[in-house]
Amino acid sequence: MDISLRIFVVSVLLVTVTAEVYIVTMEGDPIISYKGGENGFEATAVESDEKIDTSSELVTSYARHLERKHDMILGMLFEEGSYKKLYSYKHLINGFAAHVSPEQAETLRRAPGVRSVDKDWKVRRLTTHTPEFLGLPTDVWPTGGGFDRAGEDIVIGFVDSGIYPHHPSFASHHRLPYGPLPHYKGKCEEDPHTKKSFCNRKIVGAQHFAEAAKAAGAFNPDIDYASPMDGDGHGSHTAAIAAGNNGIQLRMHGYEFGKASGMAPRARIAVYKALYRLFGGFVADVVAAIDQAVHDGVDILSLSVGPNSPPTTTKTTFLNPFDATLLGAVKAGVFVAQAAGNGGPFPKTLVSYSPWITTVAAAIDDRRYKNHLTLGNGKMLAGMGLSPPTRPHRLYTLVSANDVLLDSSVSKYNPSDCQRPEVFNKKLVEGNILLCGYSFNFVVGTASIKKVVATAKHLGAAGFVLVVENVSPGTKFDPVPSAIPGILITDVSKSMDLIDYYNASTSRDWTGRVKSFKAEGSIGDGLAPVLHKSAPQVALFSARGPNTKDFSFQDADLLKPDILAPGYLIWAAWCPNGTDEPNYVGEGFALISGTSMAAPHIAGIAALVKQKHPQWSPAAIKSALMTTSTVIDRAGRLLQAQQYSDTEAVTLVKATPFDYGSGHVNPSAALDPGLIFDAGYEDYLGFLCTTPGISAHEIRNYTNTPCNYDMKHPSNFNAPSIAVSHLVGTQTVTRRVTNVAEVEETYTITARMQPSIAIEVNPPAMTLRPGASRTFSVTMTERSVSGVYSFGEVKLKGSRGHKVRIPVVALGHRR
């Protein structure tokens, strides 16, 4: 192309000054769906739920062909040096990521052969005891040969912040020898400093993806590590939840907190680092990581990641490079678990939308860590603190941080936060309990309880109390392990009781200086957890439905989240240099919360189901998990959800499917569900094609497939749930079930719904031989228009004891 030197110089300047990362999809099928037709290249397409044979010459030659086409279009349109191609996507979508100017992006958008051009957008992290709570050691692991076989030969891929490979949760020595893994072909990067591989026989793949982060100028190799090393802690934590070794001693500050284990402790770990400690990550890097993971042969993908905001060029939630890549992954037989998001308890806060993804909400399990402060006046104030008690039968003098400063000049350091020991008079603190204030600095992470502990220890304090005087909605208080007695008083009224007692007991001179400290108290034992029968509950932060089909937040005819799993106060591995949680810097374990913690629970349990049923599709595994889940807590009551009251206090309300999806996961039942609601690639396309507002052109851009409208309505997608967002008059939806048990079974089908909508099922009963499939219909009729969703369920009760349940949600509208 003949371009003058002057224009070339200007274009280079544009690239260096205003260039951004764009994800471009091209005409022509990716490897997973190419059925032949290009001269000299035979078909590479796989059937739905079938792995790609990446070692075949057909696949490798077609991959080279696609990459040449990507290079060719860039080379034809732009001068060398005026752009940078970051990745070629060949396996799940056909396209590339490039660092180009907005003008060049517009040129690409108009170029022949280009389907779509999306400006890259950011993603973020969605940030023990749970194996016992879920019944794995007694009900599930024995069926697979015990914990030392649970997850055998299943590979779980983690697209996260990397891994700390030296942690005992990921060690392969002193374990039963691992056999070969012929189906997995991932690479292992070396540590650039030690030249040692990140892999062992437990960690079978370790790679990092940062080209988009580098192009955006966000990547700092000194902090972010140009390797799979976890510089954050989050990736090590999620990997250990899903697949960490069993029986790892959880010890911190000299105290035992039990033994840690992953859900599938024998599963292998494949690391695809695409998240970084300071900036999160970029979709272009995440898509490259997913594409590589599926190419390498992972069985399960765990994604504790979600978009910061919707991509600007995409109208629908289901179609963008990220979700389209995951659709390709599921077509290749990979089960995908994704965190629902942490925007709860407000409606429509989900960051995981698509039917091919298993969207995981977060539950509080039965373990709570509580503590108490006993005052000299006999009052006992409840709080939290994972700490030892002060000496029994003894009260200690209470001293407020602001009353024991060396001089008033240090007030600029926010001394009440107790972050700097050098600002305090040690003689006044030593042997006493130090009272500190829990300011906004703790919320934003510039202050930490870990530093309060260090300050109190340095000053020789007998313990510390952190006092919350005011609280903002959404503030999350978690207990933090402490080597010395300590407690956090989170109830503002209890904090006022403490402050009133302290002020009444403390005499001062006319300047306000303390003459004598007379307030006293003692701190209880917070090390032992209290087990609650009211578990599980939906955590306050867990994102809520209804699901949305576009970024105008119109409701989708698909229920999300899909399932509920533990995600509150989860103990798991941490890396010593991890900074994601300031209270755990330098530690080997961390106790943290988030839907980030819930998703790997489901990924690990899915590995156990996959181990028992290796031929099952991702949809079959998802169905087994959902239809066997429970909506009853340990006390036999319907599940409850944390929510804000009118006064912004946290309260409990009756939970709905928009909080928990189908219910809380029940791993032992999922191994033998009786029936499954299966779905494949054509079904997902049918859902997209029948969803109003999504154009066939847009679907073709991302899938290279023409639309098929046989499904007629998206509510007919064969999900293990039913959602109708616009019910006018009467609507009938159909579902197809398959008997996966080894014997014939007769099922009676019943349905119930809240009174504003009538519900009927047909037929009322059906008999299925092993492997047979049958269809049933569910008819809903609006009785009255309430303006709010009605909730219900369809139950299929088998003659041999199987119980299958799917949730129903519907919103009636006037004719």
Side-chain angles (χ1 to χ4, degrees):
M1 188 176 273
D2 184 23
I3 299 179
S4 72
L5 180 62
R6 185 179 302 167
I7 295 174
F8 172 63
V9 170
V10 170
S11 73
V12 171
L13 284 173
L14 280 170
V15 171
T16 55
V17 176
T18 64
E20 295 179 89
V21 177
Y22 291 84
I23 301 172
V24 180
T25 59
M26 302 283 292
E27 284 182 2
D29 286 306
I31 288 164
I32 196 164
S33 53
Y34 172 60
K35 295 178 179 174
E38 293 220 20
N39 215 0
F41 298 98
E42 292 185 39
T44 58
V46 298
E47 296 299 318
S48 191
D49 312 318
E50 185 187 341
K51 286 193 180 296
I52 302 168
D53 180 6
T54 54
S55 61
S56 85
E57 178 57 31
L58 293 178
V59 168
T60 54
S61 64
Y62 185 63
R64 288 193 296 268
H65 167 67
L66 290 180
E67 186 153 7
R68 280 195 298 269
K69 288 178 79 170
H70 302 161
D71 295 337
M72 189 182 300
I73 191 167
L74 286 165
M76 286 172 58
L77 292 174
F78 310 123
E79 290 285 349
E80 189 177 344
S82 71
Y83 67 89
K84 183 179 181 184
K85 189 188 78 172
L86 307 177
Y87 299 107
S88 271
Y89 306 127
K90 309 176 287 283
H91 302 98
L92 308 178
I93 58 173
N94 173 18
F96 56 87
H99 193 227
V100 296
S101 69
E103 291 82 359
Q104 289 173 314
E106 197 53 45
T107 301
L108 276 166
R109 198 171 274 118
R110 294 193 302 266
V114 170
R115 291 277 194 193
S116 65
V117 179
D118 291 282
K119 186 177 167 185
D120 196 10
W121 68 106
K122 274 190 165 183
V123 294
R124 63 178 181 270
R125 302 174 296 276
L126 301 170
T127 314
T128 190
H129 164 84
T130 45
E132 285 77 21
F133 178 69
L134 294 170
L136 296 178
T138 53
D139 301 333
V140 179
W141 291 347
T143 66
F147 73 83
D148 52 356
R149 294 292 181 204
E152 187 79 64
D153 294 338
I154 304 296
V155 180
I156 306 178
F158 297 88
V159 178
D160 214 299
S161 66
I163 198 162
Y164 183 65
H166 314 298
H167 198 282
S169 289
F170 312 125
S172 60
H173 54 275
H174 307 310
R175 306 268 154 193
L176 278 173
Y178 284 100
L181 268 183
H183 77 279
Y184 182 76
K185 300 176 176 66
K187 291 185 297 196
C188 289
E189 291 182 23
E190 288 184 348
D191 187 312
H193 302 295
T194 65
K195 303 302 179 190
K196 289 185 178 177
S197 171
F198 274 87
C199 293
N200 53 30
R201 289 179 294 278
K202 173 77 171 173
I203 303 169
V204 293
Q207 301 170 61
H208 82 288
F209 301 81
E211 293 305 314
K214 291 174 185 173
F219 186 83
N220 181 339
D222 295 329
I223 296 172
D224 298 312
Y225 302 116
S227 77
M229 177 62 78
D230 189 357
D232 180 279
H234 190 270
S236 301
H237 201 270
T238 55
I241 290 170
N245 288 328
N246 181 61
I248 302 303
Q249 198 68 50
L250 210 163
R251 190 176 178 85
M252 194 177 291
H253 307 309
Y255 299 103
E256 304 283 350
F257 291 101
K259 292 186 176 181
S261 172
M263 301 296 101
R266 189 67 175 170
R268 315 290 184 95
I269 292 168
V271 177
Y272 299 87
K273 177 179 171 180
L275 301 182
Y276 296 87
R277 65 165 77 170
L278 294 181
F279 57 86
F282 292 86
V283 170
D285 291 328
V286 171
V287 167
I290 295 166
D291 191 71
Q292 188 65 49
V294 176
H295 166 273
D296 292 345
V298 300
D299 300 295
I300 313 280
L301 265 176
S302 180
L303 299 172
S304 293
V305 56
N308 282 359
S309 58
T312 52
T313 52
T314 307
K315 292 190 288 290
T316 171
T317 50
F318 311 124
L319 282 176
N320 56 69
F322 179 73
D323 283 76
T325 301
L326 291 176
L327 174 57
V330 171
K331 186 183 183 191
V334 178
F335 175 91
V336 179
Q338 185 187 12
N342 294 343
F346 309 106
K348 297 190 180 182
T349 46
L350 295 158
V351 299
S352 175
Y353 317 97
S354 296
W356 46 90
I357 298 167
T358 301
T359 301
V360 189
I364 299 171
D365 67 15
D366 61 345
R367 183 193 55 206
R368 315 276 200 281
Y369 288 101
K370 296 185 176 180
N371 207 340
H372 61 273
L373 172 70
T374 304
L375 301 180
N377 62 6
K379 270 195 176 180
M380 190 178 286
L381 308 181
M384 59 173 63
L386 260 169
S387 81
T390 49
R391 288 183 182 174
H393 315 300
R394 181 179 168 186
L395 295 174
Y396 291 81
T397 301
L398 306 180
V399 296
S400 170
N402 286 328
D403 290 330
V404 291
L405 300 177
L406 282 172
D407 60 66
S408 60
S409 67
V410 300
S411 59
K412 63 184 177 182
Y413 296 119
N414 295 316
S416 64
D417 287 357
C418 299
Q419 301 293 289
R420 294 167 170 257
E422 66 271 18
V423 305
F424 298 106
N425 185 332
K426 185 173 182 178
K427 289 180 181 176
L428 295 177
V429 178
E430 198 165 16
N432 299 324
I433 292 176
L434 180 64
L435 305 184
C436 309
Y438 191 93
S439 71
F440 188 65
N441 294 329
F442 288 87
V443 179
V444 297
T446 54
S448 71
I449 297 175
K450 186 180 178 73
K451 283 189 177 176
V452 176
V453 175
T455 296
K457 278 183 76 175
H458 184 85
L459 298 171
F464 67 89
V465 179
L466 266 168
V467 182
V468 177
E469 293 185 62
N470 51 59
V471 62
S472 307
T475 303
K476 184 163 64 79
F477 299 109
D478 289 344
V480 174
S482 168
I484 65 170
I487 187 169
L488 172 65
I489 308 293
T490 59
D491 185 323
V492 173
S493 66
K494 300 283 192 298
S495 295
M496 290 302 112
D497 288 345
L498 169 58
I499 291 167
D500 291 345
Y501 167 68
Y502 178 81
N503 288 335
S505 306
T506 304
S507 59
R508 302 175 185 273
D509 63 20
W510 65 274
T511 66
R513 188 186 299 271
V514 173
K515 291 197 293 183
S516 63
F517 295 98
K518 293 290 176 65
E520 294 181 314
S522 64
I523 296 170
D525 186 351
L527 293 173
V530 178
L531 300 182
H532 279 242
K533 278 192 174 179
S534 59
Q537 297 166 354
V538 181
L540 185 73
F541 56 80
S542 187
R544 310 297 211 260
N547 193 14
T548 53
K549 65 181 180 182
D550 57 35
F551 293 110
S552 302
F553 292 95
Q554 291 189 69
D555 293 7
D557 292 299
L558 179 75
L559 178 64
K560 290 283 179 174
D562 291 308
I563 198 161
L564 185 67
Y568 178 72
L569 297 184
I570 305 299
W571 277 115
W574 200 247
C575 59
N577 51 357
T579 58
D580 189 34
E581 292 283 342
N583 288 317
Y584 295 98
V585 173
E587 304 293 353
F589 293 92
L591 180 72
I592 57 178
S593 305
T595 53
S596 275
M597 285 64 250
H601 277 91
I602 292 299
I605 295 165
L608 300 176
V609 178
K610 176 89 173 173
Q611 180 188 12
K612 183 169 182 184
H613 305 284
Q615 302 308 314
W616 279 13
S617 69
I621 295 172
K622 177 180 178 179
S623 172
L625 294 169
M626 288 178 66
T627 61
T628 59
S629 62
T630 180
V631 293
I632 305 295
D633 70 16
R634 289 294 170 91
R637 297 174 304 212
L638 291 170
L639 290 180
Q640 294 180 296
Q642 289 188 330
Q643 184 56 263
Y644 287 127
S645 68
D646 293 339
T647 60
E648 296 183 341
V650 176
T651 186
L652 287 171
V653 298
K654 182 183 174 184
T656 76
F658 289 148
D659 304 319
Y660 56 65
S662 60
H664 191 274
V665 66
N666 179 353
S668 60
L671 294 177
D672 181 21
L675 300 175
I676 57 165
F677 295 74
D678 210 351
Y681 188 69
E682 293 300 323
D683 299 292
Y684 299 125
L685 289 178
F687 171 82
L688 294 173
C689 294
T690 55
T691 295
I694 306 181
S695 72
H697 175 73
E698 191 179 4
I699 293 167
R700 187 158 193 149
N701 279 352
Y702 283 102
T703 65
N704 282 294
T705 308
C707 260
N708 182 333
Y709 298 97
D710 291 348
M711 194 175 285
K712 295 179 181 172
H713 192 278
S715 293
N716 288 325
F717 170 72
N718 203 44
S721 60
I722 294 173
V724 179
S725 65
H726 198 91
L727 177 63
V728 179
T730 297
Q731 183 172 332
T732 298
V733 302
T734 57
R735 286 296 182 270
R736 183 183 67 256
V737 290
T738 302
N739 182 5
V740 291
E742 295 177 353
V743 291
E744 182 176 281
E745 194 161 5
T746 298
Y747 284 86
T748 55
I749 311 176
T750 57
R752 63 175 186 83
M753 200 80 183
Q754 288 174 329
S756 60
I757 292 175
I759 187 168
E760 294 178 3
V761 290
N762 186 49
M766 56 189 184
T767 300
L768 294 96
R769 295 190 303 275
S773 297
R774 289 282 303 273
T775 297
F776 67 92
S777 64
V778 180
T779 301
M780 286 169 279
T781 304
E782 55 158 311
R783 286 176 170 151
S784 60
V785 177
S786 62
V788 295
Y789 272 91
S790 295
F791 304 106
E793 63 183 12
V794 174
K795 284 186 175 179
L796 298 92
K797 189 174 181 181
S799 56
R800 296 183 177 271
H802 290 110
K803 294 176 182 176
V804 177
R805 182 186 52 80
I806 64 170
V808 181
V809 302
L811 180 59
H813 288 261
R814 296 191 188 281
R815 293 175 191 270

